[in-house]
């Protein structure tokens, strides 16, 4: 072989396929648990009210965010194998506990354990991304994330229709499988994450928040409105739209499929015609469609609306990521994206509790309509506010 010809560099490090498989299983569990299993199993099998279910979903996001803030320290000190393995054991413990948690506090604790276990593997996967091939590698990671997160609730709903116990033990089985895979992680594996003293992290966090403050209200409101829907969607689909669990699965699949299909063309169109209009239009259509669902449309029309929601989300996501990227300094990418993740997590912490409490007193249609109104208000903000990206 001539000296100037070298073997092509692999796309990922050797451990990445294993990390990707674990990521798929953990996101499968997250999607199944948050979008279908906790709301349905908690209500029908354990007799828990929607307010308790909402608080449990919030507890999941609280523990998830807390782990993300400290995960760099633990990965640096203990290594990938131990941290990921311990996290997945926490997920398994949470799943086992959730099946028999008839007391509200125990159900909430089980959901919090699930949040602890799912966080580490995502951070480890991000640490393996090489800067020179970031776009390709991030595209693959997001595909694994989206497929896992999307197939989880669909599979869970189909199993729940055949039996609550069957769905529960299937989720336990997936948790066991992820734990077994973690045993295959090489003991010497390390994650390239920065470790800073807490005081320095806090100072940098404050500095970044000051720079990014135009984005903060919209970031919190978006995740808050979306979080409000999580604990009530299955009961809303069943009680208000008259759907069976399998029809609800089709609804979720339709929304996810149209999102996946629309991401690339919507991204290209927003680059060509302006991200501000796609961002505003996406949120507006999303909000108005949610409000239309409160009017008790026929099941067939509900499926069409789910497709519209998917397309609207596909319009929002590329433009939103570009807007965030405009506020991330090139030399502080990790810190900038970490700040965004933490702020968005605030809405995830508060939203499910608000949604569950509101649904328990005012009904599920009120929560869906209120979330729709919030998304329309966000649309107006993005039309009027002169963000840096929109100024060129």
């Amino acid at each position: 072989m001539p000296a100037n010809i070298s073997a092509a560099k692999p796309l990922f490090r050797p451990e990445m396929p294993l990390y990707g498989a674990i990521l798929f299983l953990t996101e499968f569990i997250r999607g199944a648990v948050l979008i279908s299993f906790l709301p349905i199993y908690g209500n029908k099998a354990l007799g828990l009210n929607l307010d308790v279910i909402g608080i449990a979903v919030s507890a999941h996001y609280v523990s998830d965010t807390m782990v993300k803030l400290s995960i760099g320290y633990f990965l640096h000190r203990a290594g990938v194998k131990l941290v990921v393995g311990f996290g997945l054991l926490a997920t398994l413990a949470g799943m086992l506990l959730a099946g028999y948690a008839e007391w509200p506090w125990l159900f909430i604790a089980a959901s919090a354990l699930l949040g602890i276990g799912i966080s580490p593997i995502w951070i480890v996967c991000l640490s393996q991304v090489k800067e020179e091939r970031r776009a390709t590698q991030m595209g693959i990671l997001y595909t694994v994330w989206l497929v896992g997160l999307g197939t989880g609730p669909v599979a869970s709903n189909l199993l729940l229709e055949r039996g609550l116990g069957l769905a529960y033990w299937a989720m336990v089985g997936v948790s066991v499988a992820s734990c077994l895979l973690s045993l295959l992680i090489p003991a010497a594996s390390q994650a390239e994450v920065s470790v800073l003293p807490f005081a320095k992290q806090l100072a940098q966090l404050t500095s970044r928040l000051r720079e990014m403050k135009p984005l903060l209200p919209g970031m919190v409101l978006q995740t808050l409105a979306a979080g409000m829907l999580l604990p009530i969607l299955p009961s809303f689909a069943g009680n208000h739209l008259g759907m069976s669990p399998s029809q609800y699965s089709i609804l979720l699949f339709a929304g996810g499929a149209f999102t996946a299909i629309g991401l690339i063309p919507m991204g290209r169109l927003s680059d060509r015609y302006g991200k501000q209009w796609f961002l505003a239009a996406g949120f507006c259509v999303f909000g108005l469609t949610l409000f239309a669902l409160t009017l008790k449309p026929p099941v067939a029309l509900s499926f069409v609306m789910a497709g519209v929601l998917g397309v609207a989300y596909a319009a929002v996501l590329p433009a939103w990521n570009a807007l965030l990227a405009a506020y991330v300094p090139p030399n502080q990418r990790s810190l900038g994206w970490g700040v965004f993740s933490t702020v968005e997590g605030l809405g995830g912490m508060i939203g499910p509790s608000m949604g569950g409490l509101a649904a328990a007193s005012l009904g599920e249609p009120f929560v869906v309509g209120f979330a729709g109104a919030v998304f329309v208000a966000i649309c107006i903000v993005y039309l009027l506010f002169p963000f840096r990206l929109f100024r060129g």
Side-chain angles (χ1 to χ4, degrees):
M1 181 181 293
N4 60 344
I5 298 177
S6 59
K9 291 183 179 179
L11 182 60
F12 283 108
R13 294 180 173 91
E15 300 93 342
M16 200 60 201
L18 177 60
Y19 294 157
I22 297 172
L23 176 65
F24 171 81
L25 292 178
T26 55
E27 292 302 329
F28 181 96
I29 295 168
R30 187 201 295 272
V33 165
L34 294 181
I35 299 176
S36 66
F37 184 81
L38 284 183
I40 296 174
Y41 190 89
N43 182 255
K44 293 186 176 180
L46 303 177
L48 299 172
N49 294 328
L50 288 175
D51 51 355
V52 174
I53 293 169
I55 294 171
V57 175
S58 287
H60 172 93
Y61 282 107
V62 170
S63 62
D64 176 74
T65 303
M66 294 299 103
V67 168
K68 282 177 180 173
L69 289 174
S70 57
I71 195 66
Y73 173 83
F74 290 110
L75 285 171
H76 181 72
R77 290 296 183 92
V80 172
K81 186 181 181 75
L82 188 60
V83 172
V84 171
F86 178 80
L88 295 175
L89 281 176
T91 297
L92 177 58
M95 278 305 314
L96 290 169
L97 193 61
Y100 303 95
E102 297 182 358
W103 297 285
W105 68 268
L106 199 58
F107 189 74
I108 294 167
S111 182
L113 275 174
L114 287 164
I116 292 172
I118 288 172
S119 289
I121 187 61
W122 177 245
I123 303 299
V124 170
C125 286
L126 288 179
S127 74
Q128 304 299 306
V129 172
K130 302 173 184 176
E131 195 59 43
E132 67 272 14
R133 306 184 78 172
R134 172 171 290 273
T136 301
Q137 292 175 343
M138 287 302 296
I140 294 172
L141 281 181
Y142 272 113
T143 299
V144 173
W145 167 77
L146 188 61
V147 172
L149 199 63
T151 55
V154 173
S156 177
N157 274 297
L158 293 173
L159 292 170
L160 284 165
E161 192 171 25
R162 286 160 177 75
L164 297 176
L166 175 64
Y168 168 70
W169 287 110
M171 292 300 104
V172 171
V174 175
S175 299
V176 170
S178 65
C179 288
L180 293 176
L181 281 179
S182 72
L183 297 176
L184 301 177
I185 297 175
S189 295
Q190 294 293 325
E192 296 175 6
V193 293
S194 57
V195 181
L196 294 174
F198 180 77
K200 192 169 183 179
Q201 287 190 55
L202 189 62
Q204 292 191 6
L205 181 66
T206 304
S207 173
R208 288 291 96 224
L209 287 174
R210 192 178 297 114
E211 168 69 17
M212 299 168 181
K213 63 184 177 182
L215 294 176
L216 300 184
M219 292 174 69
V220 174
L221 286 175
Q222 287 164 215
T223 51
L224 184 144
M228 290 181 69
L229 299 173
L230 283 177
I232 61 97
L233 272 181
S235 57
F236 175 79
N239 300 334
H240 192 73
L241 301 179
M243 290 186 174
S244 66
S246 59
Q247 288 175 320
Y248 177 55
S249 297
I250 297 172
L251 187 81
L252 293 175
F253 179 79
F258 274 89
T259 298
I261 293 169
L263 275 175
I264 294 176
M266 285 294 178
R268 290 175 176 172
L269 288 171
S270 67
D271 285 339
R272 179 178 298 179
Y273 297 108
K275 295 176 178 63
Q276 181 175 16
W277 307 111
F278 277 78
L279 195 62
F283 278 118
C284 183
V285 171
F286 204 94
L288 292 177
T289 305
L290 283 177
F291 182 78
L293 283 170
T294 66
L295 304 178
K296 288 190 175 181
V299 171
L301 184 57
S302 297
F303 292 147
V304 174
M305 290 181 178
V308 172
L309 288 172
V311 173
Y313 186 59
V316 164
L317 196 58
W320 174 245
N321 283 335
L323 178 59
L324 293 185
Y327 281 82
V328 177
N331 60 339
Q332 289 185 314
R333 286 192 181 96
S334 297
L335 179 64
W337 288 111
V339 171
F340 285 138
S341 178
T342 302
V343 173
E344 288 182 324
L346 293 176
M349 294 178 201
I350 302 168
S353 296
M354 287 182 59
L357 292 168
S361 56
L362 301 171
E364 297 101 324
F366 171 83
V367 176
V368 175
F370 181 82
V374 171
F375 284 120
V376 172
I378 294 171
C379 155
I380 296 171
V381 170
Y382 290 140
L383 276 177
L384 300 179
F385 201 94
F387 291 109
R388 177 191 301 170
L389 176 69
F390 302 154
R391 297 196 303 268

